[in-house]
Amino acid sequence: MIKGSNQEKHEIKTIFERFLEPRSIAIVGASQSEGRFGNTIIRNLTKLNFKGRIYAVNPQVEDILGFKAYPSIRDIPEPVDLAIFIIKADRIPDILEECIEKDIHSAIILSSGFEEIGGKGNALQEKVLEIAERGEIRILGPNTTGILNARYGFTTGFAPLNELKEGSVSFVVQSGIFAGMMYIWISSVQNFGIGKVIGLGNKCDIHEADALEYLMDDTETKVIVMYLEGIKDGRRFFNLAKRSTKVKPLLVLKSGTTQAGSVAALSHTGTIAGNDKIFDAVCKQIGITRLSGFDDLIDITKVFALQRLPEGNRVAVVTVTGAGGVVATDRCVSSGLRMAEPSPATVKKIKEVIVDWASVNNPIDIPRGVHVGDITTVYRVVFRALLEDEGVDALLFNLFMGEGFTFDVELFYDRGYASKPLVLSLCGEKYLIEDATSKLESRGIPVYNSVDRAVKSLSAITLYAQRRRMGKNIFD
Amino acid sequence: MIKGSNQEKHEIKTIFERFLEPRSIAIVGASQSEGRFGNTIIRNLTKLNFKGRIYAVNPQVEDILGFKAYPSIRDIPEPVDLAIFIIKADRIPDILEECIEKDIHSAIILSSGFEEIGGKGNALQEKVLEIAERGEIRILGPNTTGILNARYGFTTGFAPLNELKEGSVSFVVQSGIFAGMMYIWISSVQNFGIGKVIGLGNKCDIHEADALEYLMDDTETKVIVMYLEGIKDGRRFFNLAKRSTKVKPLLVLKSGTTQAGSVAALSHTGTIAGNDKIFDAVCKQIGITRLSGFDDLIDITKVFALQRLPEGNRVAVVTVTGAGGVVATDRCVSSGLRMAEPSPATVKKIKEVIVDWASVNNPIDIPRGVHVGDITTVYRVVFRALLEDEGVDALLFNLFMGEGFTFDVELFYDRGYASKPLVLSLCGEKYLIEDATSKLESRGIPVYNSVDRAVKSLSAITLYAQRRRMGKNIFD
């Protein structure tokens, strides 16, 4: 194994399968004490019905949560695919030597106390790396919460988890704790599922380019989202990204963009952040969707997870408030979208369901009071007309739900023939909005609580789609 | 009355008191049919225990929801402070003539069909204005939902309302429907209260400068928020704004910033949007807080509604995830804040509650696992140390709540002596976050669900406070 060189595809696949779907794991530092990380990990795996075999390693006890505890890794009677370390940092080198004896080739080091603290932490990380290279052990971490693989029921995270909402978005994150907490937050409030999470930590061995090379060919992953504080091997990363964005979206939140931020990143995971302007320019050139913060990370990920790509940038905005229409128009135009011009046929169809003094432009302003017929029917007619209009590539509905002013969201399920993405901006009575959101998103229609966010998301998939269509010419 | 000239203060006050706290109103177009606007308005007033007298005007019926219906305004036996029109636009001039006979000097025209539709709508609006000037009637609208005054239980809005959450934020909005819907949305999901809402509509008479002149001296209003598509009398508006920002924050969301957006604004309320760059420069100069969209309108309004102003721009960021700390740092620095340098005394106090290998910088990274003692105690010690640190002007805590990882939010209630604003970014299990948010915000501590939004809000109050401190020198 030569670190950092181009891995053969099957090799990357094998390496990550040991991290993501290990048939057997050894938990070095497993604990009987509830609340300790070495205990929560095992509880999580039990709750998630982890399919592999679990070997607890702890010389002081007989068993942990029903699993026999082995004094050392060497005492485990069967082969081990993956060693997981959750012990004090300075004890790790010795046990890594035992991994060599035991013929283990993958390890996740959850423990902190390495490069991120400087000084002796640097020396310790060097030593770990030396042993790993000698023993051909691939290392994830240190200073991470490691892996989460929803489909396989596997996680090394130590935030208590109850269930995993399986999906097709995979995350690569510098910070493991962030990954665990973000996972709980997304599962708790969002309706899109997460496939795999790879927490890199200090990246002493495995880094973002490795993870990208694996995920770009992973058929279970449709969208790749990365949180990075720096990039270890820029050339390899961008070469892979260039190929990756041709087959699936790659969303990157890169922090450490300011001087102070890069100092914080250094102390967080020992990372050099690099020049942000160059990074930004390269992203634009090769079709990486850059996220500006955690809001983007949820909002934009959601639209990529749920929606199809538009065939052009002409948007029709339907709005229940004039103000929403004006703000949406400003934001569409300033973020690379164009306001579609509804065809005469579309205008005719819409005019049949609104009062005769109301005009039909785009934004299509349909406040309460201009309807002819019930709200659901009016929206349905407008929706269908726009779906059939060849001059419209994408749809944004900015609607309201309150008592005495609701509609049946099922009107939006009928999307049959058209390949036009639809996003909704909904506000109003909280309980009505939450119910509608969960129904709509379970059918693949993303809902936001402001036109700001709805437009931002539509813009992101549109720009990506544009670049991808041009891809053959400009990316190579 | 000379329209557009400088009104005497008491005159502006009298005019707006008739709109906001009328002792008696005539509803022209009151309706027996549930769901009609002329019906919902009366239902709303009944539910809100409106303190004034209600006169329904409708020649076709005897009574409406228990109120005697009068054939015309002239038949009302007592004086009327305010006439509210919710009838077809072309019938309004005649009834406005009746208002002159009846000695009514204030009218809200909710009806649409005026300048915003062009053509005959323009002529109709001209006619209305001519009658109003002749009869010394001040007009709000047309094409608006008018007024909401929580403390007085008064609204002319036709979105069904159940209760009003009284507060000290007052809104001036171009679009009345937007106002009503936004009101329900904010009441439904936010913990800050709304005082007065003034919906301008087409602004044939009363416009944003009038509303600003009233609200800047209104003791019940602590924060003024405006949604504008254009400004009618720029010179007067900015002169008032310059004085207003010295005594209370003025937040402005101005749309129609793009060519397409300004076309949409024209069709929405017949407004000319003007040059956005000039507007932006003037806002900066005179201390108007400019909002970029609906998210800002809620996030930034909240921090002004709940928090005190910081005395400087040095922020301490406490974070449970390293990633959150790095992103927060980037955003603080790029939005005009400075990362505070914790004093040696502060560092000493914090080091007593975290493990010895963890370092204390800013962001102060306190992930799970570095605590000595329970989470609440650790956070409390850190919080108090930062409150006492003279090198810190404002606090941002980026925290997580999940099962097995909660803390008692009451630790933040103890803010006694210090005049340091505090904002929280919270994510995790939804039910825990919602509970914590409602507790914290009821005590004046704003909660956001991302550090992005928390920093944005802290930056807004900090920049406003800076400008206000400098105010005497640069604003005059």
Side-chain angles (χ1 to χ4, degrees):
Chain A
M1 181 200 75
I2 303 160
K3 236 175 43 72
S5 74
N6 266 337
Q7 305 287 342
E8 291 294 324
K9 273 202 177 166
H10 73 271
E11 196 180 336
I12 273 287
K13 193 154 184 276
T14 308
I15 292 166
F16 275 89
E17 277 173 357
R18 283 201 304 252
F19 284 122
L20 289 159
E21 306 170 22
R23 290 159 300 179
S24 56
I25 59 170
I27 301 173
V28 183
S31 168
Q32 279 184 336
S33 314
E34 195 171 341
R36 297 289 298 265
F37 296 161
N39 184 272
T40 310
I41 290 178
I42 297 179
R43 282 181 193 273
N44 277 339
L45 291 171
T46 310
K47 269 193 230 159
L48 303 177
N49 296 314
F50 170 57
K51 295 173 187 67
R53 287 184 303 284
I54 298 172
Y55 300 105
V57 177
N58 183 331
Q60 265 119 45
V61 298
E62 293 285 309
D63 81 296
I64 294 167
L65 296 166
F67 295 94
K68 175 171 162 53
Y70 296 88
S72 89
I73 266 190
R74 279 175 304 209
D75 301 312
I76 297 169
E78 288 172 274
V80 170
D81 272 354
L82 176 66
I84 298 162
F85 289 88
I86 184 63
I87 52 172
K88 280 201 103 177
D90 53 13
R91 289 182 52 217
I92 290 172
D94 285 349
I95 301 178
L96 216 47
E97 297 280 5
E98 294 179 18
C99 288
I100 300 180
E101 289 177 46
K102 180 72 189 160
D103 203 30
I104 296 174
H105 291 281
S106 297
I108 301 179
I109 302 179
L110 306 173
S111 319
S112 303
F114 292 89
E115 192 182 22
E116 81 283 3
I117 64 162
K120 63 171 185 170
N122 286 327
L124 198 59
Q125 188 161 316
E126 280 299 313
K127 194 168 172 187
V128 160
L129 196 52
E130 179 274 315
I131 300 167
E133 291 193 353
R134 175 156 44 82
E136 295 191 355
I137 301 171
R138 299 305 301 255
I139 306 272
L140 188 66
N143 187 27
T144 180
T145 55
I147 287 293
L148 189 148
N149 182 359
R151 171 176 287 237
Y152 201 67
F154 180 55
T155 184
T156 60
F158 37 78
L161 293 173
N162 281 322
E163 48 167 346
L164 300 178
K165 208 185 287 172
E166 205 182 310
S168 58
V169 180
S170 290
F171 285 83
V172 179
V173 290
Q174 186 115 24
S175 158
I177 287 192
F178 162 64
M181 296 188 173
M182 188 188 62
Y183 186 86
I184 290 173
W185 177 231
I186 291 177
S187 304
S188 181
V189 297
Q190 293 294 327
N191 297 296
F192 65 86
I194 295 178
K196 297 168 174 120
V197 180
I198 300 167
L200 301 172
N202 289 3
K203 310 192 285 195
C204 83
D205 174 16
I206 297 287
H207 56 82
E208 50 281 336
D210 302 314
L212 178 57
E213 186 170 352
Y214 169 74
L215 290 173
M216 63 188 276
D217 290 320
D218 175 34
T219 51
E220 291 172 4
T221 296
K222 296 218 173 78
V223 182
I224 304 171
V225 184
M226 295 191 155
Y227 167 73
L228 301 175
E229 291 174 357
I231 292 176
K232 206 157 176 179
D233 180 350
R235 178 180 290 272
R236 181 165 159 240
F237 178 80
F238 286 117
N239 274 327
L240 289 166
K242 198 161 75 171
R243 282 163 46 206
S244 179
T245 54
K246 286 183 191 161
V247 291
K248 57 184 82 171
L250 171 60
L251 283 50
V252 176
L253 170 56
K254 162 105 169 35
S255 67
T257 57
T258 63
Q259 174 67 18
S262 61
V263 171
L266 187 64
S267 131
H268 177 218
T269 47
T271 299
I272 307 298
N275 183 314
D276 190 63
K277 278 186 189 148
I278 294 173
F279 180 77
D280 203 55
V282 177
C283 284
K284 284 213 174 71
Q285 208 185 329
I286 66 177
I288 292 175
T289 301
R290 186 147 187 208
L291 308 172
S292 75
F294 296 115
D295 289 334
D296 279 9
L297 189 141
I298 290 185
D299 295 338
I300 294 181
T301 298
K302 177 158 77 177
V303 75
F304 275 107
L306 299 182
Q307 272 294 345
R308 62 194 78 193
L309 297 176
E311 288 181 359
N313 68 347
R314 298 165 304 173
V315 181
V317 175
V318 178
T319 182
V320 70
T321 67
V326 179
V327 171
T329 303
D330 278 339
R331 292 196 161 237
C332 281
V333 171
S334 58
S335 66
L337 302 172
R338 269 201 300 156
M339 297 306 284
E341 287 179 27
S343 72
T346 300
V347 172
K348 187 163 173 287
K349 286 179 212 164
I350 296 175
K351 276 197 166 287
E352 278 165 23
V353 292
I354 60 175
V355 295
D356 50 5
W357 53 261
S359 59
V360 177
N361 302 300
N362 182 19
I364 301 160
D365 196 353
I366 310 187
R368 200 176 163 193
V370 310
H371 300 156
V372 174
D374 72 293
I375 312 178
T376 304
T377 305
V378 174
Y379 291 166
R380 181 179 285 122
V381 168
V382 175
F383 179 55
R384 284 195 181 156
L386 293 170
L387 279 181
E388 284 169 18
D389 190 329
E390 288 182 2
V392 174
D393 298 310
L395 305 173
L396 191 163
F397 276 70
N398 175 47
L399 304 177
F400 171 87
M401 283 187 157
E403 277 162 39
F405 195 78
T406 55
F407 53 89
D408 184 351
V409 297
E410 291 188 13
L411 77 98
F412 290 112
Y413 296 175
D414 166 31
R415 315 189 47 231
Y417 43 88
S419 64
K420 295 179 185 179
L422 164 68
V423 300
L424 263 73
S425 160
L426 273 189
C427 67
E429 289 284 353
K430 189 181 179 217
Y431 74 99
L432 294 170
I433 300 304
E434 289 193 337
D435 180 58
T437 301
S438 122
K439 280 183 189 156
L440 286 161
E441 294 195 338
S442 74
R443 300 293 285 249
I445 301 160
V447 178
Y448 301 92
N449 297 131
S450 70
V451 290
D452 313 3
R453 293 171 160 223
V455 171
K456 173 180 76 174
S457 305
L458 210 46
S459 165
I461 49 171
T462 304
L463 294 182
Y464 172 69
Q466 278 181 328
R467 284 184 185 128
R468 191 155 139 176
R469 275 194 301 277
M470 297 187 299
K472 276 167 210 145
N473 304 318
I474 67 159
F475 289 169
D476 295 306
Chain B
M1 181 201 75
I2 303 159
K3 234 176 43 72
S5 74
N6 266 338
Q7 306 287 341
E8 291 295 324
K9 272 202 177 166
H10 73 271
E11 196 180 335
I12 272 286
K13 194 156 183 277
T14 308
I15 292 166
F16 275 89
E17 277 173 359
R18 283 201 303 253
F19 284 123
L20 288 159
E21 307 172 20
R23 289 159 302 180
S24 56
I25 59 171
I27 301 173
V28 183
S31 167
Q32 280 185 335
S33 314
E34 195 171 341
R36 296 290 296 265
F37 296 161
N39 185 272
T40 310
I41 289 178
I42 297 179
R43 283 181 190 272
N44 277 339
L45 291 171
T46 310
K47 270 193 230 160
L48 302 178
N49 295 313
F50 169 57
K51 295 170 187 70
R53 289 184 302 283
I54 299 173
Y55 300 104
V57 178
N58 183 332
Q60 264 119 44
V61 297
E62 291 287 309
D63 80 296
I64 293 166
L65 296 165
F67 295 94
K68 175 171 162 54
Y70 297 87
S72 89
I73 265 192
R74 279 175 304 209
D75 301 312
I76 297 172
E78 290 171 273
V80 170
D81 273 354
L82 175 67
I84 298 162
F85 289 88
I86 183 65
I87 51 173
K88 278 201 106 177
D90 53 13
R91 290 184 49 218
I92 290 172
D94 286 349
I95 301 179
L96 216 46
E97 298 281 6
E98 295 179 16
C99 288
I100 300 179
E101 291 177 44
K102 180 70 191 160
D103 202 28
I104 296 173
H105 292 281
S106 297
I108 301 180
I109 302 180
L110 306 174
S111 319
S112 304
F114 292 90
E115 192 182 22
E116 81 283 3
I117 63 163
K120 63 171 187 170
N122 285 327
L124 199 57
Q125 188 161 316
E126 281 298 313
K127 194 168 174 188
V128 160
L129 197 52
E130 180 273 315
I131 300 167
E133 291 193 353
R134 174 157 44 82
E136 295 191 355
I137 301 171
R138 299 306 301 255
I139 306 272
L140 188 67
N143 187 28
T144 179
T145 56
I147 288 293
L148 188 147
N149 182 0
R151 171 176 287 238
Y152 201 68
F154 179 56
T155 184
T156 60
F158 37 79
L161 292 173
N162 282 322
E163 48 167 348
L164 299 178
K165 208 185 286 172
E166 204 182 311
S168 57
V169 180
S170 290
F171 286 82
V172 179
V173 290
Q174 185 115 24
S175 157
I177 288 193
F178 161 64
M181 295 187 173
M182 188 189 62
Y183 186 86
I184 290 172
W185 177 230
I186 290 177
S187 304
S188 181
V189 297
Q190 293 295 325
N191 297 295
F192 64 87
I194 296 178
K196 297 169 173 115
V197 181
I198 300 167
L200 301 172
N202 288 5
K203 310 192 285 196
C204 84
D205 174 15
I206 296 288
H207 56 83
E208 50 282 335
D210 301 315
L212 178 58
E213 187 170 351
Y214 170 74
L215 290 173
M216 65 188 276
D217 290 321
D218 175 34
T219 52
E220 291 174 4
T221 296
K222 295 217 175 79
V223 182
I224 305 170
V225 184
M226 295 192 153
Y227 167 74
L228 302 175
E229 290 173 358
I231 292 177
K232 205 157 177 180
D233 180 349
R235 179 180 289 270
R236 180 165 159 242
F237 178 80
F238 285 118
N239 274 328
L240 289 165
K242 198 160 75 170
R243 282 163 47 205
S244 179
T245 54
K246 285 182 192 162
V247 291
K248 57 185 81 171
L250 171 59
L251 284 49
V252 176
L253 171 56
K254 163 110 170 30
S255 68
T257 58
T258 61
Q259 174 67 17
S262 61
V263 170
L266 188 64
S267 129
H268 176 218
T269 48
T271 299
I272 307 298
N275 183 314
D276 190 63
K277 279 187 187 146
I278 294 172
F279 180 77
D280 203 54
V282 177
C283 285
K284 284 212 174 71
Q285 209 185 329
I286 66 176
I288 292 175
T289 301
R290 186 146 188 210
L291 308 172
S292 75
F294 296 115
D295 289 334
D296 279 8
L297 190 141
I298 290 185
D299 295 338
I300 294 181
T301 298
K302 176 158 76 176
V303 75
F304 276 107
L306 299 182
Q307 272 295 343
R308 62 194 78 193
L309 298 176
E311 289 181 358
N313 69 348
R314 298 164 304 174
V315 181
V317 174
V318 178
T319 180
V320 69
T321 66
V326 178
V327 171
T329 302
D330 279 339
R331 292 197 161 236
C332 282
V333 171
S334 58
S335 67
L337 302 172
R338 268 202 300 156
M339 297 306 284
E341 286 181 27
S343 72
T346 301
V347 172
K348 186 163 173 286
K349 287 178 210 162
I350 296 175
K351 276 199 165 285
E352 278 165 22
V353 292
I354 60 175
V355 295
D356 50 5
W357 54 260
S359 58
V360 177
N361 302 298
N362 181 19
I364 300 160
D365 195 355
I366 311 187
R368 200 176 164 192
V370 310
H371 301 156
V372 174
D374 72 293
I375 313 178
T376 303
T377 306
V378 173
Y379 290 166
R380 181 179 285 122
V381 168
V382 174
F383 180 54
R384 284 192 181 159
L386 294 170
L387 279 181
E388 285 168 18
D389 191 328
E390 288 181 0
V392 174
D393 298 310
L395 305 174
L396 191 162
F397 276 70
N398 175 48
L399 304 178
F400 171 86
M401 283 186 156
E403 277 163 38
F405 195 77
T406 55
F407 53 90
D408 183 352
V409 298
E410 291 188 12
L411 77 98
F412 290 112
Y413 296 174
D414 166 32
R415 317 188 45 231
Y417 43 88
S419 64
K420 296 179 185 179
L422 164 68
V423 300
L424 262 72
S425 159
L426 273 189
C427 66
E429 288 285 353
K430 188 181 180 220
Y431 73 99
L432 294 170
I433 300 303
E434 290 193 338
D435 181 57
T437 301
S438 123
K439 281 183 188 156
L440 287 161
E441 294 195 338
S442 74
R443 300 293 285 249
I445 301 160
V447 178
Y448 301 92
N449 297 132
S450 70
V451 291
D452 314 4
R453 293 171 159 223
V455 171
K456 174 181 75 176
S457 306
L458 210 47
S459 165
I461 49 171
T462 303
L463 294 181
Y464 172 68
Q466 278 180 329
R467 284 183 185 129
R468 190 154 141 179
R469 275 194 301 276
M470 297 187 298
K472 276 166 208 146
N473 306 316
I474 66 159
F475 289 171
D476 294 307

